[in-house]
Amino acid sequence: MSEESLEKEKGIVVFRGGEDSRRWVLWGKKDLEDVELVSLEYGEGEEKEIEVGEGIGKEEGVKDDVVDMWLL
């Protein structure tokens, strides 16, 4: 790994489906070199949140992932 790659600022936004989460994605895109959107799946009816997060990830051109919290 090069020194240059270690200096890049990265951010992760834990997406919960609200406007605040979207604002953090936009802020991250503006001020950081790499932003990733993460939605949490915990079995309490969060399917819509995950769907919205995936859509925002596509719209904003950021990687989005879902973390399965069932294991915790």
Side-chain angles (χ1 to χ4, degrees), residues 25-66:
V25 170
L26 295 173
W27 171 81
K29 282 182 57 180
K30 179 178 153 280
D31 291 343
L32 303 172
E33 293 184 40
D34 187 24
V35 177
E36 185 172 335
L37 182 90
V38 175
S39 298
L40 304 177
E41 184 174 15
Y42 44 88
E44 298 293 326
E46 63 283 345
E47 294 85 8
K48 185 65 176 174
E49 292 174 10
I50 291 170
E51 182 181 318
V52 170
E54 290 171 347
I56 290 174
K58 288 177 186 165
E59 286 175 21
E60 300 300 335
V62 299
K63 181 180 176 189
D64 67 275
D65 282 315
V66 177

Side-chain angles (χ1 to χ4, degrees), residues 7-26:
E7 293 176 9
K8 291 184 178 180
E9 292 187 31
K10 299 180 181 186
I12 296 174
V13 175
V14 178
F15 188 78
R16 296 285 304 167
E19 283 300 311
D20 289 341
S21 299
R22 185 180 194 115
R23 282 189 205 106
W24 280 110
V25 170
L26 295 173

